[in-house]
Amino acid sequence: MLEFEGDAPVLDLGLSRCLLVHCFRSTFLGWIGLPFRKVAMAPRSDFSHWSVKDSRKGTPVVVTMENPNYSVLQIDGPDDEQESFRSMDKDRGKNAKQFTWVLLLKAHRAVGCVAWVAAALWTLLGVIKRRLVSRQEAEAQSDKPRKARLLLKLLRMFLALSLIAFAFELVAYRNGWHFPKPNLHLPENLHMPKKIEVQGWLHLAYLSWLSFRADYIAYPIQILSYICIILFVIQSADRMILCLGCFWIKLNKIKPRIDEDPFKSGDGSEYQYPMVLVQIPMCNEREVYEQSISAVCQIDWPKDRLLVQVLDDSDDESIQFLIRAEVSKWSQRGVNIVYRHRMVRTGYKAGNLKSAMSCHYVRSYEFVAIFDADFQPDPDFLKLTIPHFKGNPELGLVQARWSFVNRDENLLTRLQYINLCFHFEVEQQVNGVFCNFFGFNGTAGVWRIKALEESGGWIERTTVEDMDIAVRAHLKGWKFMFLNDVKVLCEIPESYEAYRKQQHRWHSGPMQLFRLCLPDIIGSKISIWKKANLILLFFLLRKLILPFYSFTLFCVILPFSMFVPEAELPVWVICYVPVLMSILNILPALRSFPFIVPYLLFENTMSVTKFNAMVSGLFQLGSSYEWVVTKKTGRSSESDLLEAAERDSKSFALPTLYRGASESGLGELNRLKEQEQRAAARPAVKKANKIYKKELALALLLLVAAARSLLSAQGIHFYFLLFQGVSFLLVGLDLIGEQIN
């Protein structure tokens, strides 16, 4: 029997309906003969009755149940009940409409997201199709057979093994075969099921794989990962010390200064300028030859104390004629300029410079400034660099900093700008101040010719002739100076293909040079700490260890650790320290701070190219002596062009040049026109973006490892592998740099 203590309560609509349901339930249980317990009603959880006045309308109705099992209850009159029902139906309709609109809004967002993902995938598939078609056409035009490289074969093998292991793990996860979160001490704590727990041959194979993995695979990967982590920490410490050195230089305002006018004679009556030779080596530089020659010829220096050598190694005769015509134009304007072309083009840039230095008239010059074909020095370049040599007979090289005309052209140029800013602002400046030694950048520098001659001159044994001559000059005791405030405008590669070839040369050449000059370093007369700096820091740590651990740790060990959880990498190696190092790298270029995440991912992506180049240079493989001229576009901002035109008009008050009417000149012009017509008649080679197989193979490997990390709920590992895999995919499809339509 259901009882209520005290007087019969007066209930509002919600409670009365609950009580009616309660009474119906008790009646039903009474009919079927089951006992019904005394129930205490739960208190109301809403407070809407606080704001409602206690005013009752109508006559109270008392309902008496004839059956003694029921109690008496009292409800409000019909008017109040009808109003309550109407308000509840109204609220219910309003809430239903709101709920429907919320569902429609969420559905709209979901459909938009799905449509965006589908459009992105469709675009990606279209890009892949175009890349494959262009690659097939390029291979059809090329007669050279393409061979699969050793590194690509290894990556394909690793990808196949990872796909097999991932399929195995999916089957194990679906069947629930011992799939806990990875434990770094699994070899001791690994739970192996007993024979009665084995569920078929596939389960037995999986258990055998677990045992084999723990006994034979985990330990070597752990050892390799520990070695890479140690190298990673050492290289990070070196990067931190360089940054602290740069901070010290900025804090104390340390920089080379010129105290007095260096060109005045002893009595101050006249100026004395040294003889300076300026060399512009180039090879098929159709896009940039004109602006570089123009900038060099407008350098503010006495004409009788300056000679410009244009060292043209072009094999295209039309480009030779264009450069020769440009040299002739400036020669008629009074500039002391000569054109040189080698018949035997050996030794690349080093051979070109060596041939130019063998001219008999070079002996009368004291300094030589070198500019690559895309560099445009300011008119005061020599007046800002040459004075540092006066009173400093041990100084052999003054290196200026690069500035870039196309640093904001695309994402690739922005990421390169971050690296190059750190190189000049931190590495070159710190090494110049504290060690008086750094690697010559090959251009935008002034050498004392005596230092070049005593160091053996230019040698064609490597593709990094600039680093070669710098190391040999350092071993002879010459000092170097870096001027961070003197900048020379130049270009950086806009396409990934050009940047990739440049980085291959820059990382294979130092390893070649290290093998060749190691005996000379050991047997030299410089101090022990300078030998240690050259061998341990300059070559091993920054040229060999950096690409080795970057590729091995983040592109090999990390994805493998997803399939061998006993060798899982700690979070600080994957996330915290790389982010800190990226922040340090980006400090010299604070404007590029929004690109810190793409920079971190791109540096790991480039580790494949750098590692491959380092190995080929160290072991003298086929591509170690490969030299490809970096593609230029000849970009100049509008303000640069206007300034150049203004300088040109102010510097020269000569009349307009007239074309010579000699037979040789006319014959040369006719020959040039004939070559241009032949070039126009030839079918043009179709240019297209390429597909890079190594990067694509690593992209698939990292994405498979990311999917495997989801099964074991590894959050940071999953996100790192996912974004790194997408980065490799974009680079492999050549979507990061210049796009050719």
Side-chain angles (χ1 to χ4, degrees):
M1 173 179 169
L2 179 63
E3 297 179 356
F4 290 87
E5 297 180 0
D7 299 332
V10 178
L11 304 175
D12 63 357
L13 179 62
L15 190 56
S16 62
R17 295 183 67 184
C18 293
L19 191 54
L20 287 174
V21 174
H22 195 71
C23 293
F24 174 77
R25 185 180 178 191
S26 64
T27 304
F28 179 74
L29 292 175
W31 285 348
I32 63 177
L34 294 177
F36 188 73
R37 297 179 182 176
K38 181 177 179 179
V39 180
M41 301 299 294
R44 294 185 59 185
S45 60
D46 62 284
F47 305 97
S48 60
H49 62 283
W50 287 8
S51 60
V52 180
K53 294 182 179 179
D54 190 11
S55 60
R56 299 185 179 89
K57 298 180 181 180
T59 306
V61 177
V62 178
V63 180
T64 305
M65 301 296 180
E66 295 180 357
N67 193 333
N69 292 331
Y70 303 109
S71 60
V72 180
L73 59 91
Q74 179 179 346
I75 62 175
D76 289 339
D79 296 337
D80 190 18
E81 186 175 356
Q82 290 176 2
E83 291 179 4
S84 299
F85 273 105
R86 280 196 298 269
S87 62
M88 182 175 182
D89 292 338
K90 189 175 180 180
D91 293 340
R92 183 183 299 170
K94 186 178 180 181
N95 293 335
K97 283 185 178 181
Q98 292 177 350
F99 184 67
T100 304
W101 279 109
V102 170
L103 288 180
L104 287 175
L105 181 60
K106 291 185 176 180
H108 180 267
R109 290 178 178 175
V111 171
C113 182
V114 171
W116 182 84
V117 172
L121 290 176
W122 184 259
T123 304
L124 183 62
L125 291 176
V127 170
I128 294 174
K129 181 180 178 181
R130 289 195 298 271
R131 296 289 192 270
L132 291 175
V133 171
S134 62
R135 180 173 175 271
Q136 291 174 357
E137 293 178 355
E139 288 182 353
Q141 293 179 0
S142 177
D143 299 332
K144 297 179 180 179
R146 299 186 65 86
K147 299 180 180 179
R149 303 286 185 178
L150 177 61
L151 182 59
L152 180 59
K153 292 180 180 179
L154 291 175
L155 291 176
R156 287 175 175 173
M157 182 186 68
F158 290 156
L159 177 59
L161 292 176
S162 67
L163 289 173
I164 295 172
F166 181 62
F168 217 5
E169 298 288 358
L170 279 179
V171 174
Y173 182 76
R174 183 175 179 274
N175 295 323
W177 296 338
H178 184 76
F179 210 93
K181 190 173 181 179
N183 188 344
L184 293 179
H185 303 287
L186 276 180
E188 293 81 10
N189 303 332
L190 186 63
H191 167 67
M192 298 300 295
K194 299 178 181 179
K195 291 184 178 181
I196 58 175
E197 301 178 21
V198 177
Q199 305 170 8
W201 67 271
L202 192 60
H203 192 193
L204 180 62
Y206 179 71
L207 296 177
S208 301
W209 155 247
L210 290 180
S211 178
F212 178 79
R213 184 183 76 187
D215 293 337
Y216 299 102
I217 300 179
Y219 184 71
I221 293 181
Q222 278 183 334
I223 296 298
L224 184 59
S225 64
Y226 290 155
I227 294 174
C228 290
I229 289 173
I230 293 172
L231 297 177
F232 177 51
V233 172
I234 294 174
Q235 198 273 335
S236 301
D238 174 64
R239 188 64 54 96
M240 183 73 71
I241 293 172
L242 287 174
C243 291
L244 291 176
C246 182
F247 177 74
W248 177 261
I249 293 172
K250 297 292 183 184
L251 185 64
N252 294 277
K253 299 180 180 179
I254 302 173
K255 64 177 182 179
R257 290 181 173 86
I258 304 172
D259 297 331
E260 56 183 10
D261 192 345
F263 303 116
K264 280 189 177 182
S265 59
D267 55 1
S269 59
E270 59 181 8
Y271 286 85
Q272 294 179 350
Y273 293 89
M275 299 287 287
V276 179
L277 175 68
V278 180
Q279 296 177 333
I280 313 176
M282 57 180 64
C283 180
N284 296 325
E285 308 281 3
R286 181 188 294 270
E287 297 82 8
V288 295
Y289 76 92
E290 187 174 0
Q291 61 191 30
S292 63
I293 294 175
S294 174
V296 169
C297 289
Q298 297 180 64
I299 289 180
D300 186 11
W301 201 259
K303 297 294 185 262
D304 59 335
R305 315 294 290 178
L306 179 70
L307 173 64
V308 179
Q309 281 184 324
V310 178
L311 312 177
D312 183 23
D313 257 3
S314 302
D315 54 4
D316 189 335
E317 292 187 3
S318 62
I319 300 177
Q320 295 177 24
F321 288 133
L322 292 173
I323 298 174
R324 195 174 291 144
E326 184 71 15
V327 170
S328 177
K329 180 183 75 173
W330 286 100
S331 178
Q332 293 182 43
R333 290 184 174 181
V335 178
N336 191 11
I337 183 171
V338 295
Y339 173 86
R340 284 183 54 85
H341 178 74
R342 293 191 300 162
M343 300 304 296
V344 181
R345 299 167 57 251
T346 58
Y348 302 115
K349 182 180 176 181
N352 198 359
L353 294 172
K354 181 180 179 180
S355 174
M357 294 298 294
S358 63
C359 297
H360 65 280
Y361 54 78
V362 174
R363 299 174 184 175
S364 59
Y365 290 85
E366 188 177 357
F367 303 102
V368 55
I370 303 172
F371 298 100
D372 283 348
D374 58 316
F375 279 72
Q376 305 170 49
D378 291 333
D380 61 349
F381 176 82
L382 292 181
K383 290 187 175 180
L384 295 176
T385 54
I386 296 294
H388 293 281
F389 288 96
K390 186 176 181 180
N392 194 356
E394 295 181 348
L395 184 61
L397 167 67
V398 173
Q399 173 71 58
R401 180 174 176 168
W402 300 357
S403 62
F404 311 101
V405 68
N406 59 338
R407 67 181 185 184
D408 296 326
E409 187 63 29
N410 53 43
L411 179 60
L412 178 62
T413 57
R414 289 185 174 97
L415 299 179
Q416 292 180 70
Y417 176 68
I418 296 173
N419 257 344
L420 291 170
C421 275
F422 183 85
H423 170 70
F424 288 108
E425 186 84 17
V426 179
E427 292 179 343
Q428 297 290 77
Q429 186 171 212
V430 171
N431 288 321
V433 170
F434 294 102
C435 302
N436 291 320
F437 168 74
F438 47 81
F440 174 46
N441 294 118
T443 178
V446 181
W447 276 94
R448 191 188 296 270
I449 294 180
K450 183 180 178 181
L452 289 177
E453 293 174 348
E454 289 187 359
S455 304
W458 301 102
I459 301 179
E460 310 99 316
R461 57 181 179 176
T462 67
T463 58
V464 284
E465 73 294 327
D466 45 8
M467 185 181 295
D468 189 358
I469 188 64
V471 170
R472 286 185 282 116
H474 182 59
L475 296 180
K476 292 293 183 179
W478 290 98
K479 295 182 179 180
F480 301 164
M481 179 183 293
F482 178 75
L483 302 179
N484 193 49
D485 296 333
V486 181
K487 300 179 181 180
V488 181
L489 197 65
C490 66
E491 286 187 20
I492 44 181
E494 295 183 9
S495 67
Y496 178 69
E497 180 185 9
Y499 178 66
R500 189 169 180 262
K501 291 178 179 178
Q502 182 193 69
Q503 293 299 307
H504 186 278
R505 176 165 54 88
W506 285 2
H507 286 81
S508 64
M511 290 298 98
Q512 282 182 303
L513 181 61
F514 178 66
R515 294 176 66 257
L516 294 172
C517 69
L518 181 60
D520 297 333
I521 295 174
I522 296 175
S524 64
K525 298 180 180 180
I526 60 176
S527 61
I528 295 179
W529 78 269
K530 288 185 177 181
K531 293 180 182 179
N533 176 59
L534 266 178
I535 297 175
L536 299 179
L537 295 180
F538 186 76
F539 279 112
L540 291 182
L541 184 60
R542 297 167 189 164
K543 301 297 187 295
L544 188 147
I545 290 177
L546 178 58
F548 170 77
Y549 89 77
S550 182
F551 172 75
T552 307
L553 191 62
F554 297 108
C555 300
V556 177
I557 295 178
L558 179 59
F560 276 10
S561 66
M562 298 298 100
F563 301 97
V564 185
E566 297 87 345
E568 180 186 4
L569 293 176
V571 175
W572 62 270
V573 174
I574 301 172
C575 181
Y576 303 138
V577 177
V579 170
L580 177 60
M581 292 299 105
S582 299
I583 292 174
L584 293 178
N585 282 8
I586 216 167
L587 284 179
L590 286 177
R591 280 183 52 197
S592 304
F593 194 80
F595 300 98
I596 183 171
V597 175
Y599 171 74
L600 173 61
L601 297 174
F602 181 69
E603 281 301 294
N604 291 334
T605 305
M606 284 304 300
S607 64
V608 184
T609 300
K610 296 175 182 179
F611 175 80
N612 188 29
M614 181 268 295
V615 172
S616 65
L618 188 62
F619 297 102
Q620 295 290 312
L621 301 182
S623 60
S624 61
Y625 201 67
E626 180 183 3
W627 180 295
V628 179
V629 178
T630 305
K631 178 185 174 184
K632 282 90 172 181
T633 59
R635 293 191 184 275
S636 292
S637 62
E638 186 176 354
S639 60
D640 297 329
L641 294 175
L642 292 175
E643 289 177 4
E646 185 178 357
R647 290 198 307 257
D648 192 6
S649 61
K650 289 182 179 180
S651 300
F652 302 98
L654 297 176
T656 307
L657 298 178
Y658 295 97
R659 184 186 303 173
S662 63
E663 293 182 1
S664 60
L666 290 176
E668 190 171 301
L669 288 174
N670 292 331
R671 187 178 178 186
L672 178 59
K673 289 180 180 179
E674 290 177 2
Q675 287 188 353
E676 289 178 349
Q677 291 176 357
R678 281 194 232 109
R682 287 196 302 264
V685 179
K686 186 177 181 181
K687 295 182 180 180
N689 294 94
K690 295 184 177 181
I691 287 181
Y692 301 98
K693 296 180 181 179
K694 297 188 194 69
E695 285 77 1
L696 286 180
L698 269 170
L700 296 177
L701 176 62
L702 291 170
L703 291 176
V704 171
R708 168 61 180 83
S709 68
L710 278 179
L711 301 180
S712 51
Q714 294 169 295
I716 293 181
H717 296 74
F718 166 73
Y719 288 113
F720 183 87
L721 289 167
L722 175 64
F723 291 125
Q724 192 64 68
V726 171
S727 175
F728 270 103
L729 182 63
L730 295 177
V731 171
L733 295 175
D734 198 4
L735 294 173
I736 191 173
E738 180 188 20
Q739 300 301 303
I740 302 174
N741 295 324

